Amino acid sequence: MGTSPRNFDSLPEECVSTILSFTSPPDACRFSMVSTALRSASDSDMLWLTFLPSDYLSILSRSLTPLVLDFSSRKSLFFALSRPLLLDGGNMSFKLDKFSGKKSYILSARELFIEWSTDPMYWSWRSMPESRFKEVAELRTVSWLEIEGKIRSKDLTENTLYGSYLIMRVSHRGYGLDSVPCEVTVTVGNRVVKSGKAYLWQKDEKKGNKENSLDGVPVPSRREDDDNGWMEIEIGEFFSSSEGDDDEEIKMKVMEIGYHLKGGLIVEGIEVRPKQV
């Protein structure tokens, strides 16, 4: 037998908030329109604290612009954190998924290990108005391409399937990036959990190709809700477990050592975000 709004109205607000904590942020917002009692419970700090990550205060302490966040309620703070927030001096972007409350990050190019990136003969660092970060890395020319990002499992939402993605584009002077595919790997601790291949460029975008692949090998695709022209290629996926107290290092690597010259790749960063399942 179902529960009517009148049944909820007879319950203490704390009890209703506890019940709503087993739903989702969008569901809580919908319940607020049912009755006055449900509105009070669905807007309560007690409820929205359950949707915020347990380390939200630590995240806030790393914000580049903490004063722009709305602290008037935990609900308003949740939705403030569902928009991109720059952390760690502007070298990392963080946000909560507004539907699930799960955490996602973008590691800027400055947060990555990029082989030869300190040598201006091979890589240049410059600003781009289309980027969320102060600098991006542009490949001049190399024969050995290696890009790696790292994140700790404790920084992610537990019991969640994550995907990692290289955010990139190719300049007008791009060359050699479609000759052979790169090796892409994800390592959790000392275990390789995902490995595969991917092209970093599909020249002329091979008109008519709807599969985002070339001969079965993935190619870059346009990012959803991104009007700035950035592309992405999936490096791999992994599961963030809650078993034990282990805090494992997760490494995401793109590597191509075909010993032929290539250039024109522009790297904004690596995103780690929950996958829709």
Side-chain angles (χ1 to χ4, degrees):
M1 184 171 63
T3 302
S4 70
R6 182 172 298 175
N7 298 136
F8 275 113
D9 289 348
S10 65
L11 295 174
E13 181 178 303
E14 294 80 2
C15 183
V16 178
S17 293
T18 299
I19 295 171
L20 294 180
S21 71
F22 292 97
T23 63
S24 67
D27 287 335
C29 291
R30 283 190 283 269
F31 274 111
S32 70
M33 297 182 288
V34 174
S35 70
T36 302
L38 279 176
R39 182 181 305 114
S40 178
S42 63
D43 288 342
S44 70
D45 281 350
M46 176 182 173
L47 171 62
W48 287 91
L49 191 60
T50 67
F51 293 141
L52 287 166
S54 60
D55 61 343
Y56 77 94
L57 289 176
S58 175
I59 293 168
L60 291 175
S61 71
R62 298 160 56 193
S63 171
L64 182 65
T65 54
L67 296 180
V68 304
L69 295 174
D70 185 352
F71 289 91
S72 61
S73 70
R74 293 296 182 268
K75 180 179 180 180
S76 59
L77 178 58
F78 176 91
F79 284 106
L81 289 175
S82 69
R83 299 186 293 271
L85 177 70
L86 290 177
L87 308 179
D88 301 344
N91 287 329
M92 181 182 291
S93 178
F94 166 87
K95 74 172 182 178
L96 295 176
D97 182 279
K98 63 183 178 181
F99 298 106
S100 67
K102 295 180 184 294
K103 297 188 281 187
S104 66
Y105 295 87
I106 300 178
L107 313 177
S108 73
R110 280 293 185 190
E111 284 287 301
L112 308 178
F113 167 78
I114 302 176
E115 188 70 72
W116 316 117
S117 63
T118 58
D119 192 326
M121 287 184 60
Y122 303 119
W123 289 86
S124 65
W125 292 89
R126 65 185 183 88
S127 62
M128 285 187 68
E130 300 89 350
S131 176
R132 75 203 74 213
F133 299 115
K134 184 178 179 180
E135 291 178 301
V136 297
E138 181 170 359
L139 175 60
R140 292 183 181 276
T141 183
V142 291
S143 59
W144 180 305
L145 179 65
E146 184 175 353
I147 303 169
E148 183 180 80
K150 299 178 183 179
I151 196 167
R152 308 295 306 190
S153 59
K154 70 177 179 60
D155 292 325
L156 303 172
T157 302
E158 60 186 26
N159 291 325
T160 299
L161 180 65
Y162 275 94
S164 58
Y165 306 83
L166 179 70
I167 305 175
M168 43 71 65
R169 65 202 303 170
V170 177
S171 74
H172 67 280
R173 55 178 293 275
Y175 64 93
L177 296 168
D178 58 346
S179 299
V180 295
C182 289
E183 303 286 338
V184 291
T185 57
V186 176
T187 305
V188 178
N190 57 6
R191 310 181 310 278
V192 176
V193 298
K194 195 72 175 182
S195 62
K197 295 181 181 295
Y199 282 103
L200 292 178
W201 194 20
Q202 187 181 18
K203 196 171 183 179
D204 302 325
E205 298 188 355
K206 305 291 184 186
K207 294 181 177 60
N209 180 6
K210 305 292 186 182
E211 303 299 324
N212 289 328
S213 67
L214 181 61
D215 299 326
V217 178
V219 298
S221 60
R222 293 199 174 276
R223 286 170 55 79
E224 291 185 11
D225 303 323
D226 189 332
D227 298 326
N228 292 316
W230 291 103
M231 310 286 284
E232 68 180 23
I233 189 73
E234 183 170 353
I235 301 171
E237 63 183 34
F238 60 92
F239 188 75
S240 175
S241 174
S242 64
E243 296 180 2
D245 296 322
D246 292 342
D247 174 24
E248 296 184 297
E249 184 176 64
I250 299 155
K251 298 179 181 178
M252 304 149 287
K253 180 181 285 190
V254 177
M255 189 170 184
E256 199 281 289
I257 52 175
Y259 300 108
H260 61 274
L261 294 178
K262 42 197 164 283
L265 178 69
I266 302 174
V267 177
E268 185 183 36
I270 288 179
E271 182 173 28
V272 181
R273 66 175 186 257
K275 299 197 77 169
Q276 303 298 324
V277 294

